[in-house]
Amino acid sequence: MEEIQQKELEQNIINILLDRGMEFNVPKRSILRHFSKKKERTFVLHESFLGTLDLLTDQYLKLEINEKALQENVFLESDRIIKMNNKRAARIVAIAWLNKFCYVPVIPLVWGFHNYALIWLASNYFQLRLKPSKLLKITTIIRQLMNSADFTLSIRLMMAIQRTSQPKADLVEEKQKV
């Protein structure tokens, strides 16, 4: 009983953190930094909506890395990786930050479009202001807030429900009897 309560408590803590979101700071680099007391801008990442999750996974699947070439020539291949994935990494941060603002509903619940112009602006901003060390921390946060484990579990549950409510007529066992 104690183990079950501990898992429930852990799940409640995870849900609270997902709802609250996580913050990261980026230094101000414009002329406006001289007129402000704060020298950094704070951005908050929240749990991704399903539409945002779709955009994020699309970007993750387009990332390219050649492990074999990286082992053969580390410096040359790491430069290629930076060149090929620099903008995409900034775009991932922008999509995760924008979250619900990535999609613009023109006619609610009927028709809308992805706001690629806003994603482009935010990704250019992050591309010019993020350092690789900060990108590593933010990427870790984004992967946690994507909550792909819960999504995968939901899909598994839907598949299990479908299988129990609609059994397939052409089962493998029936084919083997013939």
Side-chain angles (χ1 to χ4, degrees), residues 44-157:
V44 180
L45 298 172
H46 292 281
E47 183 177 12
S48 300
F49 292 109
L50 293 179
T52 308
L53 193 64
D54 183 38
L55 289 173
L56 283 172
T57 53
D58 183 45
Q59 295 302 314
Y60 275 117
L61 291 173
K62 291 179 182 176
L63 290 173
E64 296 179 27
I65 188 167
N66 187 345
E67 292 290 340
K68 185 178 178 184
L70 187 61
Q71 290 175 354
E72 291 173 6
N73 191 344
V74 176
F75 296 112
L76 181 63
E77 189 59 27
S78 64
D79 290 342
R80 281 194 188 118
I81 291 169
I82 291 169
K83 182 68 176 167
M84 289 188 309
N85 297 312
N86 183 15
K87 291 180 182 177
R88 193 164 314 281
R91 194 174 302 125
I92 288 170
V93 175
I95 290 170
W97 172 62
L98 289 170
N99 204 359
K100 66 180 176 183
F101 298 108
C102 289
Y103 186 77
V104 178
V106 177
I107 302 172
L109 303 174
V110 177
W111 179 72
F113 61 92
H114 292 289
N115 195 349
Y116 290 114
L118 185 59
I119 294 170
W120 181 81
L121 283 171
S123 63
N124 282 342
Y125 179 84
F126 290 126
Q127 185 181 5
L128 296 173
R129 286 168 177 81
L130 287 179
K131 296 179 181 176
S133 56
K134 181 70 89 172
L135 180 65
L136 177 63
K137 293 175 186 174
I138 295 169
T139 304
T140 306
I141 293 170
I142 291 170
R143 288 304 271 184
Q144 291 171 349
L145 291 176
M146 280 177 66
N147 206 3
S148 56
D150 281 355
F151 181 79
T152 306
L153 187 60
S154 299
I155 298 301
R156 283 182 172 170
L157 182 61

